[in-house]
Amino acid sequence: MSLLTDLINLNLSDCTEKVIAEYIWIGGSGMDMRSKARTLNAPVDDPKKLPQWNYDGSSTGQAPGEDSEVILYFINSQSCQIDRFGIEQEYTLLQKDVKWPLGWPVGGYPGPQGPYYCGVGADKAFGRDIVDAHYKACLYAGVNISGINGEVMPGQWEFQVGPAVGISAGDELWIARYILERITEIAGVVLSFDPKPIPGDWNGAGAHTNYSTKSMREDGGYELIKKAIEKLGLRHKEHIAAYGEGNERRLTGRHETANIDTFLWGVANRGASIRVGRETEKNGKGYFEDRRPASNMDPYVVTSMVAETTILWKP
Amino acid sequence: MSSSSSSSCLLNDLINLKLSETSDKIIAEYIWIGGSGMDMRSKARSLPGKVNDPTQLPKWNYDGSSTNQAPGDDSEVILYPQVIFKDPFRRGNNILVMCDAYTPAGQPIPTNKRFNAAKIFTHPDVAAEEPWYGIEQEYTLLQKDTNWPLGWPIGGYPAPQGPYYCGVGADKSFGRDIVDAHYKACLYAGINISGVNGEVMPGQWEFQVGPCVGISSGDQVWVARYILERIAEIAGVVVSFDPKPVQGDWNGAGAHCNYSTKSMRNDGGLDVMKKAIEKLSLRHKEHIAAYGEGNERRLTGRHETADINKFSWGVANRGASVRIGRETEKAGKGYFEDRRPASNMDPYVVTSMIAETTILWKP
């Protein structure tokens, strides 16, 4: 099988100018990622120079069979310079045929939560090779991945993307998700973004969204942060509706979440809807963390909605 | 679906990506000790460029409510970077960072034993004596799902102790690949690992870290333990630091602490050593209380240990609490070995306590 690896790792630039471009898009469920590849005559730096392409939307639930072409436009990141996002993407790794978390005994459960958060050891950390491969692959790709850690539920992990400005937060998170799907595919493991993969005394998976605007990062910013949080409190139901399917199974008020029907904020409080860090409180400026989004949220929706409510919306 | 061997090759290629070819960024793995005092935790972050000096690393924080170190409504625990080592897993310019933990107000949290040790080691009387430490860390490798020692038959026992100490052969030496990988990984990281050997109980091994000066001993032993846990994780094997993993006629696991001060290493040192050992004997109970949980199962007076309730010392005596080597006796100077600490001792506590008792404490 090393012959196969040799071929996969062929260094094309030794013998041709041609490059392969993998075009990636989001499919009909809003969470399934799709991709296909094409050859280009030479390396391309600028997305404007990429050809538009199309795909069979009837196979992804996005177009009828008799009019199935969906056109792919490249993304041109003209981002707003003001808002900055950092997204903490949690996810669970599942064994392929049983869809039971990686490292869990089939037909049973591991020891209770406690030893697994940032843990090390064959009985505490399941799937680190996937996580480490993903970290380097994202950095190689130019994705602004800022860190990783093992999570409270065994088999669950987290990576963070950011700080990213404006729409690039959504772009980078989707690409990071795609790269993770490709790596778990190689490893023969299934990736789940379900917000509560296992009911009971097991943490769910979220996508906490850290946010700041230019004024929040400057002196006096803490007052603006409080005003922004107040506005978010007034639109709690609307945000929750857009923060991911199945979130009611996760936001119970236990397992480091706030109850889905309650809006609550606090400094260093992991049981709140919105958490402000101690450093931000001390400095009088900084950022805050919206802990409500589920792991299966759409970052385009969440980031733009947070910006819209806090900057544009008037109560 | 690709076959498992080509897929693990592809995964390895990604894990082994040489980032420095495409980016200045590095990955720093911050390591700390969790709420039990023995569980190690770590998480990683990206930094914009290479860092050599821990004072240039940013402080960080973690969720102390998930490690039994803070309540949920006030969960931030702050990490202060203390020492940098090269990362043998990510290689390149990537680093491991040994940290200790503080409240947001800047107070060391109760499980932070490094803070107090650092105070002792910076005391002028202690610093003047340049205390050296060599720690012999024993540990047992266990099979993952049964927690039975590696190489032992499930539901049974191997042949009695005898052939295993420094032994070689598939029926005597279990897990050497982990041990050898650990040795090179530690040397790569910059840890002063001075040797390894197979131990008397099959599946048990030892590595030594030292000589290290002062607080650096604790730092290096903790990071060496972390690297061992990571390697065993890769191998699908569990590391145990329990001082008596199997009851009965099987050796326990210790962390003998070899110690000397400047005066002990110079002419007339043997007398200084004897005075130091006398002071240790007067604080035997206090030391034992700090030398690791469960040590009473190990220090029985058999299996090369001294009974936990009795303090004894002797030249070349492996049944004593403190042993002086024949070479040291002959030269009239050198070092001695405190054989009491258990494998699950905290090196910050043990090293600083020995310095405190022998240098600062007055009977």
Side-chain angles (χ1 to χ4, degrees):
Chain A
M1 278 304 129
S2 66
L3 293 176
L4 204 58
T5 313
D6 287 343
L7 291 172
I8 292 174
N9 289 336
L10 266 174
N11 198 349
L12 291 179
S13 52
D14 286 345
C15 54
T16 174
E17 274 263 295
K18 291 183 180 179
V19 298
I20 302 172
E22 187 86 27
Y23 281 53
I24 301 166
W25 70 95
I26 301 158
S29 77
M31 270 307 283
D32 57 314
M33 298 205 77
R34 309 283 181 147
S35 72
K36 54 174 179 163
R38 68 185 291 177
T39 309
L40 302 172
N41 289 328
V44 178
D45 285 332
D46 183 353
K48 291 195 199 61
K49 299 204 178 104
L50 288 166
Q52 265 183 22
W53 206 10
N54 65 76
Y55 68 91
D56 172 14
S58 70
S59 292
T60 60
Q62 292 169 306
E66 65 272 18
D67 187 12
S68 62
E69 268 184 37
V70 177
I71 316 300
L72 291 165
Y73 285 70
F74 62 82
I75 295 215
N76 188 4
S77 287
Q78 296 282 326
S79 42
C80 172
Q81 289 302 314
I82 297 177
D83 16 304
R84 231 186 246 177
F85 297 94
I87 306 189
E88 303 168 41
Q89 174 75 68
E90 291 179 339
Y91 61 91
T92 313
L93 297 173
L94 305 177
Q95 301 173 50
K96 189 167 82 78
D97 295 317
V98 295
K99 299 271 170 70
W100 197 233
L102 189 67
W104 293 37
V106 178
Y109 294 82
Q113 296 184 152
Y116 311 111
Y117 170 74
C118 301
V120 58
D123 52 348
K124 303 188 209 73
F126 310 132
R128 191 192 297 274
D129 50 354
I130 290 169
V131 179
D132 278 349
H134 179 248
Y135 200 163
K136 280 196 176 179
C138 283
L139 283 174
Y140 178 91
V143 171
N144 191 6
I145 181 167
S146 37
I148 54 150
N149 61 270
E151 269 302 329
V152 175
M153 181 177 119
Q156 207 171 78
W157 295 84
E158 169 181 315
F159 65 87
Q160 306 99 31
V161 171
V165 180
I167 197 144
S168 74
D171 295 334
E172 298 220 3
L173 189 69
W174 275 116
I175 292 285
R177 285 175 170 178
Y178 174 79
I179 291 172
L180 184 57
E181 294 262 24
R182 288 287 301 270
I183 288 172
T184 52
E185 181 189 310
I186 290 170
V189 161
V190 169
L191 177 60
S192 169
F193 288 112
D194 188 275
K196 189 77 173 182
I198 306 288
D201 206 0
W202 304 100
N203 274 30
H208 304 158
T209 300
N210 297 277
Y211 171 67
S212 67
T213 61
K214 191 154 175 279
S215 350
M216 290 176 193
R217 297 190 290 273
E218 290 166 352
D219 288 334
Y222 196 58
E223 287 312 304
L224 294 166
I225 288 175
K226 287 202 259 191
K227 288 206 180 78
I229 293 175
E230 188 168 322
K231 284 197 188 181
L232 287 169
L234 295 169
R235 291 195 87 205
H236 178 66
K237 279 194 159 55
E238 289 85 342
H239 277 247
I240 284 289
Y243 274 12
E245 291 293 315
N247 214 0
E248 66 285 351
R249 290 180 281 120
R250 167 182 161 257
L251 293 180
T252 58
R254 294 178 61 223
H255 302 112
E256 300 171 279
T257 69
N259 182 283
I260 197 170
D261 297 317
T262 317
F263 182 86
L264 166 70
W265 79 272
V267 178
N269 184 355
R270 279 181 158 79
S273 320
I274 304 232
R275 175 174 82 101
V276 175
R278 287 234 170 266
E279 184 106 4
T280 293
E281 182 195 36
K282 201 172 87 175
N283 295 339
K285 58 187 172 180
Y287 66 95
F288 66 82
E289 178 193 21
D290 188 345
R291 293 175 64 81
R292 298 170 293 172
S295 42
N296 59 354
M297 61 78 155
D298 184 330
Y300 292 130
V301 170
V302 169
T303 56
S304 60
M305 197 173 188
V306 170
E308 186 188 38
T309 296
T310 57
I311 300 172
L312 298 177
W313 185 68
K314 303 204 179 321
Chain B
M1 190 192 101
S2 45
S3 86
S4 64
S5 59
S6 77
S7 51
S8 63
C9 280
L10 294 174
L11 210 55
N12 284 345
D13 286 343
L14 291 171
I15 292 175
N16 292 333
L17 266 173
K18 285 199 174 73
L19 289 178
S20 49
E21 285 170 9
T22 51
S23 172
D24 281 335
K25 289 185 180 179
I26 66 154
I27 302 171
E29 186 87 28
Y30 281 51
I31 301 166
W32 71 96
I33 299 159
S36 77
M38 267 309 282
D39 56 312
M40 299 203 77
R41 310 276 179 156
S42 73
K43 55 174 180 160
R45 68 186 293 180
S46 308
L47 295 173
K50 195 165 174 215
V51 181
N52 292 323
D53 182 353
T55 60
Q56 288 170 359
L57 287 168
K59 289 186 178 135
W60 206 8
N61 65 77
Y62 67 93
D63 172 13
S65 68
S66 290
T67 58
N68 247 326
Q69 293 170 303
D73 54 7
D74 190 9
S75 59
E76 274 181 38
V77 177
I78 317 300
L79 289 169
Y80 288 27
Q82 297 294 352
V83 199
I84 292 177
F85 295 94
K86 286 170 56 154
D87 184 336
F89 307 101
R90 297 196 176 101
R91 298 186 289 282
N93 292 321
N94 303 304
I95 55 177
L96 301 177
V97 184
M98 186 63 205
C99 304
D100 61 346
Y102 296 77
T103 64
Q107 295 304 308
I109 64 172
T111 47
N112 179 350
K113 306 299 181 194
R114 189 186 194 281
F115 183 80
N116 201 49
K119 270 181 28 194
I120 290 171
F121 285 120
T122 50
H123 188 292
D125 295 351
V126 174
E129 281 289 356
E130 275 177 49
W132 285 12
Y133 297 91
I135 313 266
E136 302 169 40
Q137 175 74 67
E138 292 178 338
Y139 61 92
T140 314
L141 297 173
L142 305 177
Q143 300 173 52
K144 188 166 82 79
D145 295 317
T146 56
N147 281 344
W148 199 231
L150 188 66
W152 293 37
I154 305 288
Y157 294 82
Q161 296 184 152
Y164 311 111
Y165 171 73
C166 300
V168 58
D171 52 345
K172 303 188 208 74
S173 171
F174 310 131
R176 190 191 298 275
D177 50 353
I178 291 171
V179 178
D180 278 350
H182 178 247
Y183 200 163
K184 282 197 175 177
C186 284
L187 284 172
Y188 177 92
I191 291 179
N192 193 4
I193 182 168
S194 36
V196 300
N197 62 269
E199 269 301 329
V200 174
M201 180 176 120
Q204 206 171 79
W205 295 84
E206 171 182 312
F207 64 88
Q208 306 98 33
V209 175
C212 300
V213 183
I215 193 101
S216 162
S217 170
D219 292 332
Q220 293 195 40
V221 170
W222 274 115
V223 179
R225 285 175 171 178
Y226 174 81
I227 292 173
L228 180 61
E229 295 254 29
R230 286 286 302 271
I231 289 173
E233 180 190 307
I234 291 168
V237 162
V238 171
V239 177
S240 169
F241 290 110
D242 189 276
K244 190 77 173 180
V246 184
Q247 296 303 312
D249 206 0
W250 304 100
N251 274 31
H256 304 160
C257 184
N258 297 279
Y259 172 67
S260 69
T261 61
K262 206 158 162 208
S263 324
M264 292 175 197
R265 295 189 290 273
N266 289 329
D267 290 332
L270 192 57
D271 282 329
V272 179
M273 259 182 267
K274 289 188 192 166
K275 288 203 182 77
I277 294 174
E278 163 103 25
K279 282 196 186 182
L280 286 172
S281 73
L282 295 171
R283 293 194 85 204
H284 178 66
K285 278 198 160 54
E286 288 86 343
H287 277 245
I288 285 290
Y291 274 12
E293 292 293 316
N295 214 1
E296 66 285 351
R297 290 181 281 120
R298 166 183 160 258
L299 293 180
T300 57
R302 297 178 59 224
H303 301 112
E304 299 172 278
T305 69
D307 183 276
I308 197 170
N309 296 311
K310 299 198 190 75
F311 183 91
S312 61
W313 73 274
V315 177
N317 181 357
R318 277 184 159 74
S321 317
V322 172
R323 176 174 79 100
I324 289 188
R326 288 229 174 271
E327 183 110 1
T328 292
E329 185 195 38
K330 205 169 84 175
K333 57 188 172 181
Y335 66 94
F336 66 78
E337 178 193 21
D338 187 346
R339 294 175 64 79
R340 298 170 293 171
S343 42
N344 59 355
M345 61 81 162
D346 185 328
Y348 293 131
V349 171
V350 169
T351 56
S352 61
M353 197 173 187
I354 292 175
E356 188 186 36
T357 296
T358 57
I359 300 173
L360 297 176
W361 184 68
K362 302 201 182 321

